[in-house]
Amino acid sequence: MDLYKYIRNIEHFPKAGVHFKDITPLLADSAAMESCVEQLLAMIENQKIDKVAAIESRGFFFGTLLAQKLNAGFVPVRKPGKLPYKTLKEPYQLEYGMDALEIHEDAILKGERVLLHDDVLATGGTAKAACNLIEGLGGVVVQCNFLLEIEFLNGIKKLQNKPVKSLLKF
Ligand code: 5GP
């Protein structure tokens, strides 16, 4: 199924000058969702995966579904202050200013094979920070897997020497 038609462009969101890719039309269609999960799974070359780590919040939509299909555990990577147990924290650069992501210290065991999933790869700062957290716990990032990639922002450069796969490219 061609999923491009389920991605809606929103101009000037969340601020002036930004062209936002809205995935909610895809989420609203059960056949498109099902096809999307199948296509995301087909991108995973070595499906021996212990954990799927996904980034708050839009990464959670497909991250949990992928984890189920892969018989893997699910690990939420969240914005600061959201996770209740002891966390590892990784700051990262935004276009203007800084943000950070956190992961529970016991979420990934040393040597576990981890698939990182998020909805969008843009500049790559978010995914890179998530990879640092996974690796900080001793996990091995076997693939970074995205629903869509905004190619001109060149996020793939920040994820050098990791396999990166995106279903849709803009
Ligand atoms: P990056 O750190 O790669 O610049 O930004 C990626 C993060 O920002 C992802 O977590 C993603 O959810 C969010 N993001 C950035 N641009 C877009 C967009 O156009 N559409 C959606 N749905 N998310 C975006």
Side-chain angles (χ1 to χ4, degrees):
M1 184 189 281
D2 176 8
L3 297 176
Y4 280 94
K5 65 176 182 210
Y6 295 96
I7 306 298
R8 176 166 60 186
N9 282 313
I10 309 282
E11 302 302 321
H12 308 302
F13 180 88
K15 58 184 182 194
V18 176
H19 309 296
F20 191 82
K21 301 288 179 202
D22 177 21
I23 66 166
T24 62
L26 193 150
L27 300 177
D29 187 295
S30 71
M33 280 286 277
E34 192 179 342
S35 174
C36 187
V37 173
E38 292 309 318
Q39 292 184 50
L40 286 168
L41 283 170
M43 296 193 315
I44 303 165
E45 273 152 16
N46 183 343
Q47 302 210 356
K48 208 177 107 10
I49 285 161
D50 300 305
K51 299 271 169 65
V52 175
I55 302 170
E56 178 173 357
S57 60
R58 287 178 292 267
F60 295 173
F61 299 136
F62 289 100
T64 50
L65 297 172
L66 291 173
Q68 282 283 295
K69 294 272 189 183
L70 292 164
N71 294 317
F74 177 78
V75 175
V77 177
R78 300 206 62 181
K79 293 286 168 62
K82 303 280 189 180
L83 287 168
Y85 185 60
K86 287 182 251 171
T87 58
L88 205 64
K89 183 175 189 162
E90 179 78 16
Y92 63 99
Q93 190 85 42
L94 294 176
E95 197 179 351
Y96 301 103
M98 296 291 287
D99 207 342
L101 287 173
E102 292 183 348
I103 194 168
H104 272 158
E105 289 185 350
D106 61 352
I108 289 163
L109 306 177
K110 275 199 176 49
E112 278 191 323
R113 294 168 56 81
V114 182
L115 174 78
L116 176 68
H117 170 78
D118 201 1
D119 65 334
V120 171
L121 175 63
T123 66
T126 310
K128 172 72 177 149
C131 286
N132 288 349
L133 288 172
I134 294 163
E135 290 170 352
L137 295 177
V140 179
V141 179
V142 294
Q143 189 184 106
C144 301
N145 165 304
F146 302 93
L147 174 53
L148 71 89
E149 178 177 344
I150 301 168
E151 286 184 300
F152 85 94
L153 292 172
N154 215 5
I156 209 159
K157 231 178 133 185
K158 284 216 180 74
L159 301 173
Q160 263 168 359
N161 60 40
K162 289 191 183 31
V164 177
K165 296 269 173 145
S166 309
L167 195 52
L168 308 175
K169 301 198 177 190
F170 290 86

